Amino acid sequence: IKGVNDDEPKELVDFANQLGIDIRFIEYMPTRHNGSANRGYVEGTTTMGRIGYEFYPVATDKASPAQYYKSKALSNRVGFVNSVSQPFCTHCNRIRLAADGNLYTCLFSARAINLFDLQNQSYETAAEQIDNFVAGKQYVGCSSPPAKNQFLPSFSEIGG
């Protein structure tokens, strides 16, 4: 987040490298609680440039929200989820189940089906409704106007 932690990526990468774990940086996305706060947005390529290593891309699953990179100076991978600057909606294969039973097909869509409502139906009926819901996945993306984002669930509710 610009002005909050955008001066820390190199230290975070070095720390993750010491631990032997991969690290991902996620662009600040317009959600319900920060839809009008794009002043905190830092593009992923800017973050990559601040890390100070020479990176090269590594093979990443097409449906992965992150593009991973390596550096000869590091043993770990560094990922970037550039959902604002480089939307990947058309390749997204994710769905999310919130604790309240709502199943979402997009972090940026308020469209949901509540699985608790299906628990008294037969397996076949419930499975058909879930299949139909997932097949109708809408690729909304995080570039929708901030006014629309006020109706979205927060990431803490949806498991983003």
Side-chain angles (χ1 to χ4, degrees), residues 8-105:
E8 301 173 356
K10 182 179 183 340
E11 288 80 6
L12 289 169
V13 168
D14 290 342
F15 179 65
N17 191 56
Q18 288 174 2
L19 296 175
I21 59 174
D22 293 340
I23 186 169
R24 295 192 313 183
F25 293 93
I26 303 172
E27 288 181 338
Y28 192 65
M29 293 182 267
T31 63
R32 181 175 69 187
H33 297 297
N34 67 347
S36 61
N38 277 343
R39 60 189 166 273
Y41 172 75
V42 177
E43 192 170 310
T45 55
T46 300
T47 300
M48 180 189 278
R50 291 180 180 163
I51 295 171
Y53 292 109
E54 187 174 323
F55 288 107
Y56 57 91
V58 294
T60 305
D61 184 284
K62 182 178 168 180
S64 173
Q67 173 62 54
Y68 283 95
Y69 296 84
K70 295 257 318 151
S71 170
K72 291 180 180 175
L74 301 168
S75 60
N76 64 337
R77 296 182 312 163
V78 179
F80 295 88
V81 179
N82 297 334
S83 53
V84 176
S85 66
Q86 299 169 345
F88 48 83
C89 296
T90 57
H91 301 295
C92 178
N93 65 357
R94 281 150 167 88
I95 58 174
R96 289 195 165 72
L97 178 60
D100 62 3
N102 282 323
L103 182 69
Y104 296 91
T105 56

